[in-house]
Amino acid sequence: MTTDLHGEVAGRLRRAGQRYTSKRRALFETVAAASRPLSLPEIMAKRRGLAQSSLYRNLSVLEQARVVRRIVTGEDFARFELAEDLSEHHHHLVCSNCGSVKDVSLPSTLERRMEGALTAVATSAGFKPSAHRVDVIGLCSDCA
C-alpha cells in the first residue's frame, strides 16, 4: 500500500469531517488487498477482532467519503470494494444465486465502443453522463 494512497484516503476522510483511525486504515487495507469485492462476513474473517457494529459504521463512513463502494447483490450482504478512482475501471459479473461477484476488465477497444454507445444513449435522453458501471447478472460456474 503506497503512502500516496493512504494520504488520499486520509484527505477524503478529513474533507468528510472524519479521521483516518487505525480501524479505518485496517479496513481500507483489507478491502484494497482483495482481488474481488468482499462481503461483511468475509471482511470480518480477514480482520478478526473488529466488531460487526464497528465494521458497519466504519464501512458507512468510508463509503460516504468515497473511499469504498457498495455493490448490492441478491444475497443477504452487500459487498465492498475500493472506489473506482482509487483502483481501476472494471465491471462485475454478479451471480443471482449465490451472490458472488467477479471483477472483469474489458479490452480497451471494446471499452471505448461501449462508452461511446452508452454516451449516445444518455445524450439522446438529454442526460449528461460522467461515468458508467456495468454489472452482468447471471449464474456463476459453481451455480450454473
Side-chain angles (χ1 to χ4, degrees):
M1 204 66 39
T2 68
T3 303
D4 290 346
L5 198 50
H6 281 293
E8 176 63 26
V9 171
R12 289 181 185 202
L13 285 164
R14 194 171 35 259
R15 287 188 293 280
Q18 300 289 333
R19 294 179 306 125
Y20 195 25
T21 64
S22 60
K23 285 184 180 178
R24 290 179 186 152
R25 183 182 184 107
L27 189 50
F28 163 73
E29 288 177 347
T30 300
V31 172
S35 61
R36 60 181 175 72
L38 298 175
S39 67
L40 189 67
E42 289 171 329
I43 294 170
M44 288 175 61
K46 291 180 182 295
R47 284 294 176 176
R48 301 209 183 276
L50 292 177
Q52 185 171 343
S53 60
S54 176
L55 280 177
Y56 273 122
R57 198 170 37 257
N58 283 307
L59 280 169
S60 178
V61 168
L62 291 173
E63 186 178 9
Q64 289 171 358
R66 295 179 18 259
V67 173
V68 300
R69 180 167 82 101
R70 177 189 312 254
I71 300 167
V72 179
T73 67
E75 66 177 344
D76 293 337
F77 298 100
R79 292 180 179 267
F80 297 88
E81 68 179 0
L82 278 187
E84 191 168 280
D85 62 330
L86 294 177
S87 58
E88 62 181 23
H89 182 73
H90 63 277
H91 304 286
H92 299 113
L93 303 176
V94 181
C95 182
S96 59
N97 188 52
C98 71
S100 67
V101 178
K102 180 177 180 174
D103 291 345
V104 292
S105 296
L106 301 177
S108 58
T109 54
L110 180 56
E111 184 68 46
R112 283 193 301 277
R113 285 191 358 237
M114 188 169 70
E115 177 78 26
L118 292 170
T119 298
V121 168
T123 303
S124 70
F127 189 83
K128 185 175 184 209
S130 58
H132 73 268
R133 294 183 195 144
V134 176
D135 292 342
V136 178
I137 313 299
L139 295 175
C140 69
S141 59
D142 290 340
C143 294

